[in-house]
Amino acid sequence: MKNKITFFSRFEADILSGKKTITIRDKSEAYFLAGQQLCVFTHETGRLFAHIRIISISPIRFEQLNEQHAQQENMSLHALKQVVREIYPFENEFVLIEFELINEPI
Ligand SMILES: CC(=O)Nc1ccn([C@H]2C[C@H](O)[C@@H](CO)O2)c(=O)n1
């Protein structure tokens, strides 16, 4: 089972401070399971910077993104939709991955 996930390095500080607690991914990353512990790397350089535990993973459509999701991403809803559209220009079906930061090594 794949136990790694990458994030753009611009989100590292928000993840480490606990301000960002979800991520929206396309279905190519729908294989994660609730309870799974993941090593978190930067997308750009592959540097390990955190460990997280998945709380839940559920399907979501682009038009269902709302203010609560934006808050969990520590950005405005407009910014969240813009980021998702930049990363996935043609996708409408996603998975919502809710996670918590863990300190213990895995
Ligand atoms: C780096 C990589 O492989 N893929 C992604 C995909 C998404 N994110 C972030 C951007 C937003 O905060 C949410 C919404 O998709 O998740 C990311 O850092 N890296």
Side-chain angles (χ1 to χ4, degrees):
M1 190 189 306
K2 197 171 161 191
N3 69 338
K4 63 171 278 189
I5 190 167
T6 62
F7 283 87
F8 292 108
S9 54
R10 64 184 188 272
F11 299 116
E12 176 177 351
D14 277 357
I15 291 167
L16 290 176
S17 67
K19 289 179 182 165
K20 175 175 166 66
T21 58
I22 63 166
T23 185
I24 310 293
R25 299 298 169 109
D26 73 1
K27 287 182 288 182
S28 71
E29 295 188 271
Y31 48 80
F32 295 120
L33 298 170
Q36 197 178 350
Q37 298 184 12
L38 304 179
C39 300
V40 184
F41 298 87
T42 58
H43 176 69
E44 293 87 346
T45 65
R47 177 173 46 84
L48 175 68
F49 70 90
H51 296 102
I52 58 172
R53 182 181 297 110
I54 300 198
I55 296 170
S56 66
I57 175 162
S58 50
I60 188 164
R61 294 182 59 80
F62 183 81
E63 61 268 22
Q64 292 175 309
L65 291 173
N66 63 33
E67 292 290 348
Q68 186 190 337
H69 302 129
Q71 203 175 2
Q72 292 171 298
E73 288 267 10
N74 194 35
M75 58 181 86
S76 70
L77 182 56
H78 178 75
L80 173 60
K81 287 183 169 178
Q82 212 165 16
V83 168
V84 172
R85 268 288 158 257
E86 279 166 17
I87 303 172
Y88 308 109
F90 307 113
E91 192 57 62
N92 277 316
E93 295 185 355
F94 297 95
V95 287
L96 167 61
I97 300 172
E98 188 182 4
F99 61 84
E100 63 184 353
L101 200 57
I102 52 176
N103 293 317
E104 66 264 33
I106 52 179

